Amino acid sequence: MKLHDLTLSGNCYKVRLLAALAGIELELVPVDFMGGAHKRAPHTDLNPWGELPVLEDGDVVLRDSQAILVYLGARYAGEQWLPRDPLGLATVMQWLSTAANEIQHGPGAARLVDKFGYVLDKADALRRAERILGLLEQHLAHNDWLALQHPTIADCAVFPYVALSHEGGMSLADYPQVRAWIDRVKALPGFVGMPGV
Amino acid sequence: MKLHDLTLSGNCYKVRLLAALAGIELELVPVDFMGGAHKRAPHTDLNPWGELPVLEDGDVVLRDSQAILVYLGARYAGEQWLPRDPLGLATVMQWLSTAANEIQHGPGAARLVDKFGYVLDKADALRRAERILGLLEQHLAHNDWLALQHPTIADCAVFPYVALSHEGGMSLADYPQVRAWIDRVKALPGFVGMPGV
């Protein structure tokens, strides 16, 4: 099973993190992001969106880090990582939306500006980062994990860009519950980091 | 089953649309959005995020339109709307991320500026709208539906803010495949619209 990957991408790291925690073997295929290989064929034949990560599992080709987490969770990682009952599935799904929306456009976007020179509204990204970190802080004051009282793909989806907040100029000093959750994730058996985490 | 609802919200409409198409009965509970009721208790007791929609089904309380679609799909609407196999689930999930990310921050954000006076970067929203409409146009040139060759919750998640693009100043004139898909959705048995669609 191949993951078309970029070491510095938090979205790719979501997948590497689940794979490490759930004992799923991945062959990493590095993509020359700085050289723009993700915007050209053959990568765009796999993913017309010109983005990373992409998963290839035999004939299966999937774009979008959340969708890849769902696939690995449902097919390989077991019910503990992605439950199949409607309420469990929807509870995890709330956080996959959060990862694609508030996290991506908050701490994720702020980091794109600072680390990769993207032309985005940094002030807007920091406002969004503050809002979502405040909501996370409130949620984690009463919950050890994002969903279902145990680690799931929800944690894998939200963790990377939160743990990388400082690379977008967002300190976690005022968010002790978030920092404690980061420490709990880091203490999970099999945990792997990435540069900056 | 109660949907805390706003008629003019495309996110609430996603849920009303699936319910209508799949024959699920919802009791609509209008929330005084213009009066800010979504930002205060008792609404924030249901959803600390201060957002709409919220679904209440007995003891179940869910925020986030995509998560609500997953819940209704998995619990009430049947496999045709949300498959349970890993690949089918992940294929649909790709489009739920698209709804939460590119659609929300593209045509959705442009409409928030024009229709509700939100202070957001309109030029950025229009750039994102053009990109995602181009990708949709390309996808729909070879597919009648977003996922799995039949209507699923993926179509319900993406449809509203695409069909409302003109309310954010984005014309669909150059996107004939997108317009044909909109017509196909509108022709589904049970279809309901909303103001502007």
Side-chain angles (χ1 to χ4, degrees):
Chain A
M1 191 156 45
K2 290 182 188 173
L3 184 70
H4 297 261
D5 183 55
L6 172 70
T7 303
L8 292 180
S9 159
N11 282 320
C12 294
Y13 172 51
K14 295 174 188 177
V15 181
R16 296 195 302 268
L17 177 58
L18 173 65
L21 294 173
I24 299 166
E25 206 165 318
L26 288 178
E27 179 191 340
L28 300 182
V29 181
V31 175
D32 179 14
F33 181 83
M34 293 309 180
H38 58 303
K39 298 288 187 198
R40 294 190 302 267
H43 187 79
T44 50
D45 297 334
L46 290 175
N47 181 6
W49 301 48
E51 290 179 344
L52 294 165
V54 169
L55 185 81
E56 272 191 283
D57 183 20
D59 289 343
V60 170
V61 178
L62 288 166
R63 64 169 175 86
D64 181 64
S65 53
Q66 281 72 236
I68 295 170
L69 291 178
V70 163
Y71 178 76
L72 294 179
R75 181 146 186 191
Y76 296 109
E79 283 265 338
Q80 83 218 65
W81 291 99
L82 179 64
R84 300 296 183 93
D85 68 286
L87 180 56
L89 198 59
T91 302
V92 168
M93 181 65 222
Q94 294 180 131
W95 295 100
L96 302 185
S97 282
T98 300
N101 180 355
E102 290 89 350
I103 299 288
Q104 182 76 36
H105 293 268
R111 179 174 176 265
L112 284 178
V113 173
D114 281 12
K115 197 163 173 78
F116 296 99
Y118 277 51
V119 181
L120 294 168
D121 184 340
K122 176 86 189 287
D124 180 67
L126 288 177
R127 269 192 302 274
R128 291 176 190 272
E130 265 185 46
R131 172 170 179 266
I132 188 60
L133 287 169
L135 288 165
L136 276 174
E137 182 73 8
Q138 190 180 335
H139 181 77
L140 290 165
H142 308 286
N143 300 277
D144 279 353
W145 304 99
L146 295 185
L148 307 174
Q149 311 303 332
H150 61 79
T152 64
I153 65 168
D155 300 284
C156 296
V158 172
F159 179 82
Y161 290 114
V162 172
L164 292 166
S165 288
H166 59 282
E167 292 195 347
M170 185 79 209
S171 165
L172 296 181
D174 293 340
Y175 304 98
Q177 302 289 351
V178 172
R179 285 186 280 117
W181 167 71
I182 288 174
D183 289 342
R184 283 191 292 278
V185 173
K186 287 184 174 177
L188 288 171
F191 175 84
V192 291
M194 67 166 273
V197 171
Chain B
M1 192 155 44
K2 290 181 188 173
L3 184 71
H4 296 261
D5 184 55
L6 171 70
T7 303
L8 293 181
S9 159
N11 282 319
C12 293
Y13 173 50
K14 295 174 189 176
V15 181
R16 297 194 302 268
L17 178 59
L18 173 65
L21 294 174
I24 300 166
E25 206 165 319
L26 288 178
E27 179 191 341
L28 300 182
V29 181
V31 175
D32 178 15
F33 182 83
M34 292 309 179
H38 58 302
K39 298 287 185 198
R40 294 191 301 267
H43 187 78
T44 49
D45 296 335
L46 291 175
N47 181 7
W49 301 48
E51 289 179 344
L52 294 165
V54 169
L55 185 81
E56 274 191 281
D57 184 20
D59 289 344
V60 170
V61 177
L62 287 167
R63 66 170 173 85
D64 180 63
S65 53
Q66 282 70 239
I68 294 171
L69 291 177
V70 163
Y71 177 76
L72 294 179
R75 181 147 185 191
Y76 296 110
E79 283 265 340
Q80 84 216 66
W81 290 98
L82 180 64
R84 300 295 183 93
D85 68 285
L87 179 56
L89 198 59
T91 302
V92 168
M93 181 66 221
Q94 294 180 131
W95 295 101
L96 302 184
S97 282
T98 300
N101 181 355
E102 290 88 349
I103 299 287
Q104 183 76 37
H105 293 267
R111 178 173 175 266
L112 284 178
V113 174
D114 281 12
K115 198 165 172 77
F116 296 100
Y118 277 52
V119 180
L120 295 168
D121 184 340
K122 175 84 189 288
D124 181 66
L126 289 177
R127 267 192 304 274
R128 291 175 189 272
E130 264 183 46
R131 172 170 179 266
I132 187 59
L133 286 170
L135 289 165
L136 276 174
E137 182 73 9
Q138 191 179 334
H139 181 76
L140 291 165
H142 308 286
N143 300 278
D144 278 355
W145 305 99
L146 293 185
L148 307 175
Q149 311 304 332
H150 61 78
T152 65
I153 66 168
D155 300 284
C156 297
V158 172
F159 179 82
Y161 290 113
V162 172
L164 291 166
S165 288
H166 58 282
E167 292 196 345
M170 186 77 210
S171 164
L172 296 181
D174 293 340
Y175 304 97
Q177 303 288 352
V178 173
R179 285 186 281 118
W181 168 70
I182 288 174
D183 289 342
R184 283 191 292 277
V185 173
K186 287 184 174 176
L188 288 171
F191 175 84
V192 291
M194 67 167 273
V197 172

